[in-house]
Amino acid sequence: MSTILIANPKGGSGKTTLATNLAGYFASRGRHVVLSDMDRQRSALQWLERRPHKLPLIHGQDGRGKFATSLSADWTIIDSPAGLRGDKLKQAVKDANFVIVPMQTSAFDIGATRDFLQVLQEEKAIRKGHTFVAMIGMRVDSRTRAAQALQEFLATSGFPSVGNLRPAQVYALAAEQGASLFDIRPSQVNRDLQQWAPLLHWLINAHKQKQVKKETGT
Ligand SMILES: Nc1ncnc2c1ncn2[C@@H]1O[C@H](COP(=O)(O)OP(=O)(O)OP(=O)(O)O)[C@@H](O)[C@H]1O
Ligand SMILES: [Mg+2]
């Protein structure tokens, strides 16, 4: 089992969008998924309450207080609140195998995320290679100067970047319906689905490497 923490203390950076869609992806592949919500706004759990029963099952968990690892889950995905810092952040990073940092293109987002990445770089679990970190651009219109500024920032961030998701109405529509992009007919969201491929490859490869390490005791 693997635990993915979705984190960026900057509000509105796309954490819940990323967490709910990732949960939807793994559920659509028949995996046992726990979506854990650390945010007292409960956006991820509310999304789950709206989720139609006919869609692949995702288990919800209130992730506030002490984080309870679900041993039977293949993937636990943790949606964290804006402003996550200090001991809570430290503990969440330590408990996670992966941290994914969503970010948008504005100068404000870049400034806030830069500070956050510095904090991550100092975390022992990350320095020692127990927890892997990747960055993903959210609502990135590749034709804009802001997108270029984001690419320049990501190139020097010290962490791998696993692509960009373009701005698309379908994210808001899916959120309203308790669905993910992976629950929608692929022909309707083809271009958007393609943009998830680098992130999913990165996660699945690292997950496999982790399993090999565990089996061989290396
Ligand atoms: N690729 C995208 N295209 C269009 N809208 C998007 C995209 N990604 C995120 N959004 C929208 O951006 C808004 C903020 O996203 P979201 O709620 O996921 O951020 P958050 O980091 O969880 O916010 P908070 O810090 O308040 O918890 C939402 O309205 C969401 O629908
Ligand atoms: Mg949120």
Side-chain angles (χ1 to χ4, degrees):
M1 75 132 242
S2 281
T3 300
I4 307 171
L5 171 69
I6 312 292
N8 187 338
K10 178 82 175 72
S13 54
K15 297 176 287 293
T16 305
T17 303
L18 193 57
T20 51
N21 279 282
L22 259 188
Y25 168 73
F26 286 116
S28 76
R29 310 298 297 195
R31 301 288 178 263
H32 179 164
V33 182
V34 172
L35 180 59
S36 179
D37 197 344
M38 287 176 74
D39 194 344
R40 64 193 163 108
Q41 281 180 17
R42 297 181 80 254
S43 307
L45 290 180
Q46 283 168 8
W47 173 82
L48 216 43
E49 282 160 16
R50 293 193 292 276
R51 188 166 176 80
H53 292 299
K54 62 175 194 225
L55 293 182
L57 181 68
I58 296 169
H59 299 268
Q61 184 186 67
D62 189 332
R64 290 173 300 170
K66 179 139 178 53
F67 169 64
T69 305
S70 169
L71 294 175
S72 57
D74 298 310
W75 295 91
T76 300
I77 297 163
I78 305 172
D79 186 20
S80 67
L84 179 68
R85 62 172 77 86
D87 288 347
K88 268 200 174 157
L89 170 65
K90 255 188 206 326
Q91 191 58 47
V93 168
K94 209 169 138 204
D95 290 335
N97 303 105
F98 304 99
V99 180
I100 307 175
V101 182
M103 65 177 296
Q104 301 205 27
T105 53
S106 81
F108 301 127
D109 287 78
I110 291 179
T113 307
R114 181 181 286 120
D115 294 344
F116 178 56
L117 294 185
Q118 243 164 29
V119 174
L120 286 186
Q121 251 141 6
E122 285 156 22
E123 285 301 325
K124 200 166 155 196
I126 293 169
R127 277 194 283 118
K128 298 215 159 189
H130 301 309
T131 305
F132 296 97
V133 181
M135 318 282 305
I136 183 161
M138 303 293 281
R139 275 178 143 166
V140 179
D141 180 346
S142 58
R143 298 160 302 185
T144 59
R145 266 186 61 186
Q148 205 183 328
L150 178 67
Q151 290 324 310
E152 283 161 15
F153 168 73
L154 290 174
T156 58
S157 72
F159 293 116
S161 156
V162 288
N164 295 318
L165 305 181
R166 66 174 179 160
Q169 279 282 334
V170 70
Y171 287 101
L173 289 174
E176 267 168 39
Q177 292 167 10
S180 74
L181 258 62
F182 303 93
D183 301 311
I184 296 169
R185 200 177 303 134
S187 59
Q188 289 178 5
V189 280
N190 217 346
R191 244 185 91 194
D192 298 291
L193 288 180
Q194 281 171 18
Q195 297 186 320
W196 282 78
L199 169 63
L200 299 175
H201 280 142
W202 179 80
L203 273 174
I204 290 161
N205 283 337
H207 179 69
K208 277 189 194 146
Q209 279 175 22
K210 185 169 87 76
Q211 277 178 328
V212 170
K213 261 188 170 179
K214 205 169 151 191
E215 279 159 23
T216 57
T218 54

